[in-house]
Amino acid sequence: MADKPSDEPSSGSGSGSGEEPSVPDEVWEKFLRDHGSAPKEPSARARMVTERLRQQEARGESPAGWRAGPTAAGRNGRPRKGWAVLGVLLAAVVAVVAMKPSLLPGHPFGAGDPDPAAASPLPAETAAPTAAPSSADPETPTLARPFAGSPAERWADGEAGIVLPKATALGSVSKDRVELALRQTRKLLVDANLNPKVLSGARPEAALSVLDPKQPGVVDDLETALRAPSEKNDPLSLFSRFDPKEVKPAGEVVKVRGRITFGKGDFAGVAVHADYTFVYPVVRADGSTEVTRTIVRRVIDAEFPDPTHYRTTPGRLNLVRYDEDAGNSACDVHDGYLHPRFPSQAPTGGATSTGPSVDPYDRSRVIGQDDACGTVSRT
């Protein structure tokens, strides 16, 4: 129990000089009963705070709420903008994940595989494949996803798929000459298979410009094929072309996969080997939204002969081989155009399919050895 205040004068310094008035015993005992201890004089800081609160109350101001720290409100009582923005962003993220939980790594909510359209692209092809690509999900292609259900969905887009190897000198053949041969081959491939105008039937001027007109039986035959297509002279042997009155592209992307290699040629120059597959999604020209795909694979062997030893046009390619294999195109029509078949089309007769069923995405197959009219296992 606290001691009763002494009636003796205080021994410490004080503001007064007289004796402190004594507290009656009955009053002191009542205080102890009510509070259990003697009152303590407020500290100087407590008196200062009390005085400030009294002044705020006199001015009609209210003190901040209990534990209302700076993280709850700003200096003016408004929510801090940074925290408000963060809250909105967190809410947006939660909403997106709720609609597409596969965006989170590991599929924590049991979501299925990611959308193939968002899958990472395949690395560039660096060697000849040994097998066909695995089958994709059996999805129907649409205008929004024209490559749905196709291995090509992860292939490169257009020209990005034709990557040249680093040029190096080949004995007496300089690096610059090798590089020129590679660039000319790429120019041929791009114009012949990816130029939108050429795909719609226009003349492949850039492709023809890299071929040597002095090479017998090549440029002249191609000119004849473009002018008067026939089974014997077919421009499709080197150029991809569609009849714009029949079909039009389903989007602006052609998928591409393949590779280019080079080595010492047989004519004291550079030999370039190109093996590429092009996938063309199309719709009917009448406004239908049904999508189908035609797959064309081309294998080209070109030579860049030494003009000091052979009669050749400097800077032009000589074609040694150019084979073509088209999947999902009528093989009994020889008008110089690819003719895709749509799933909803009923068989129309025509040439009988005498060849085997093949996978047009199988880049391990050898082409150019069988002219039989076959079928494709998938498009």
Side-chain angles (χ1 to χ4, degrees):
M1 178 178 292
D3 294 334
K4 176 180 176 180
S6 172
D7 292 337
E8 297 297 326
S10 173
S11 60
S13 62
S15 59
S17 58
E19 293 183 348
E20 296 290 339
S22 63
V23 180
D25 291 343
E26 59 269 20
V27 173
W28 179 247
E29 291 174 357
K30 183 177 184 303
F31 178 84
L32 293 179
R33 287 196 304 270
D34 295 339
H35 299 281
S37 64
K40 295 181 180 179
E41 181 180 358
S43 66
R45 175 174 176 79
R47 290 193 300 270
M48 182 176 64
V49 171
T50 301
E51 180 59 24
R52 185 170 67 248
L53 293 175
R54 188 181 297 113
Q55 292 175 2
Q56 287 181 339
E57 185 175 3
R59 292 195 301 268
E61 300 174 356
S62 298
W66 178 243
R67 295 190 185 276
T71 58
R75 289 188 177 90
N76 297 317
R78 294 189 295 270
R80 293 200 173 190
K81 187 178 295 184
W83 288 99
V85 171
L86 180 59
V88 172
L89 291 176
L90 288 174
V93 170
V94 171
V96 170
V97 172
M99 291 185 292
K100 194 176 181 65
S102 61
L103 291 175
L104 289 179
H107 309 313
F109 304 115
D113 292 332
D115 188 339
S120 59
L122 290 175
E125 186 176 284
T126 58
T130 58
S134 59
S135 298
D137 294 333
E139 297 180 85
T140 301
T142 63
L143 287 175
R145 286 183 58 203
F147 300 99
S150 162
E153 194 160 37
R154 296 182 61 197
W155 291 8
D157 294 353
E159 294 185 36
I162 304 178
V163 180
L164 297 180
K166 183 178 179 180
T168 58
L170 296 170
S172 61
V173 181
S174 68
K175 173 185 175 181
D176 290 343
R177 187 159 179 78
V178 172
E179 189 172 8
L180 178 58
L182 293 173
R183 289 202 311 266
Q184 293 290 69
T185 304
R186 188 177 192 274
K187 184 177 180 179
L188 169 64
L189 290 168
V190 169
D191 192 54
N193 301 281
L194 297 174
N195 186 336
K197 293 181 179 179
V198 173
L199 293 180
S200 296
R203 181 181 171 81
E205 297 286 359
L208 293 171
S209 72
V210 306
L211 301 179
D212 190 348
K214 294 182 180 180
Q215 183 184 7
V218 175
V219 175
D220 288 344
D221 288 350
L222 291 173
E223 292 280 10
T224 299
L226 290 167
R227 183 174 59 253
S230 65
E231 184 175 2
K232 180 181 178 181
N233 293 302
D234 190 350
L236 297 179
S237 61
L238 191 61
F239 312 114
S240 294
R241 306 165 79 236
F242 295 87
D243 186 349
K245 297 188 296 294
E246 180 184 355
V247 297
K248 62 181 181 180
E252 300 179 352
V253 175
V254 175
K255 290 291 187 176
V256 180
R257 186 154 183 82
R259 68 194 183 282
I260 292 181
T261 57
F262 67 92
K264 193 68 177 291
D266 295 331
F267 304 98
V270 186
V272 181
H273 177 79
D275 184 341
Y276 280 90
T277 301
F278 304 88
V279 183
Y280 304 97
V282 296
V283 294
R284 294 187 184 89
D286 61 9
S288 170
T289 59
E290 184 182 22
V291 178
T292 192
R293 293 180 291 255
T294 290
I295 302 95
V296 178
R297 182 178 170 197
R298 299 194 183 279
V299 177
I300 296 175
D301 285 310
E303 287 270 358
F304 218 48
D306 184 350
T308 64
H309 293 83
Y310 298 92
R311 292 186 58 188
T312 182
T313 303
R316 298 292 188 95
L317 292 173
N318 279 250
L319 292 183
V320 179
R321 170 197 179 192
Y322 51 106
D323 287 322
E324 168 257 0
D325 185 69
N328 191 30
S329 178
C331 55
D332 58 335
V333 182
H334 306 288
D335 60 357
Y337 295 115
L338 294 161
H339 294 279
R341 179 169 296 281
F342 290 82
S344 63
Q345 284 180 307
T348 57
T352 304
S353 296
T354 58
S357 175
V358 298
D359 181 354
Y361 293 99
D362 183 1
R363 293 185 36 75
S364 66
R365 292 189 303 117
V366 176
I367 67 171
Q369 297 181 344
D370 187 359
D371 293 331
C373 185
T375 59
V376 292
S377 60
R378 56 178 171 175
T379 60

